[in-house]
Amino acid sequence: MSHPKHLSPARSALMVVDIQERLMPLIVGRDLVVKNSLLLIKAARVLKMPILATTQNAAKIGALLPEIQAELSGVTVIDKLEFGGFNNQRLQKAADHLSSDIDTLIVCGVETHICIYQTVIGAIRAGYQAWVPADSVSSRGLEQVVDDQLGVGRHPA
């Protein structure tokens, strides 16, 4: 069994997942997730780490939050329909263009139980180590998730 390596800015990239306008009002602890994701983006900039960013079906769920967009100035945001980022060809291509020295992805955003989980699994399958700061990810409340699965959910407007 291999053991995780210590994080190194020279070997790491940040992936910001789906912190979008219509979704965030439903997210448990949203203020903390946004605050800490912004902190990660700022740290990545200072440490000169590459940043990848996604939206989930922006036509329906909206753009990234304005404060996230502002910090991601110059980063191409990849819109996806797939839950797992690595199931999206544009994201795979962007990851392929990272330096060969990058072997670690730090993943923040929403929703933990689906998009974060599937993106992390895809990253591991692609050969990356994946780190998920617990205070930089979240999901809708359990009741909302169950309602969605039953088809009676309170979907964002």
Side-chain angles (χ1 to χ4, degrees), residues 11-73:
R11 293 193 341 254
S12 301
L14 176 65
M15 181 175 288
V16 180
V17 179
D18 307 347
I19 304 176
Q20 294 168 257
E21 292 176 321
R22 292 187 193 149
L23 184 57
M24 290 310 291
L26 303 172
I27 298 299
V28 174
R30 66 188 154 270
D31 293 339
L32 186 63
V33 171
V34 171
K35 177 184 140 198
N36 289 328
S37 294
L38 286 167
L39 181 62
L40 286 169
I41 295 166
K42 290 174 184 182
R45 295 263 192 215
V46 168
L47 296 169
K48 298 183 178 11
M49 293 168 42
I51 302 172
L52 302 170
T54 65
T55 52
Q56 176 73 32
N57 195 1
K60 281 190 168 183
I61 303 176
L64 293 172
L65 289 178
E67 58 267 45
I68 297 290
Q69 284 183 31
E71 287 300 323
L72 290 175
S73 176

Side-chain angles (χ1 to χ4, degrees), residues 62-85:
L64 293 172
L65 289 178
E67 58 267 45
I68 297 290
Q69 284 183 31
E71 287 300 323
L72 290 175
S73 176
V75 173
T76 300
V77 177
I78 298 168
D79 191 44
K80 60 184 177 59
L81 298 177
E82 305 83 0
F83 292 126

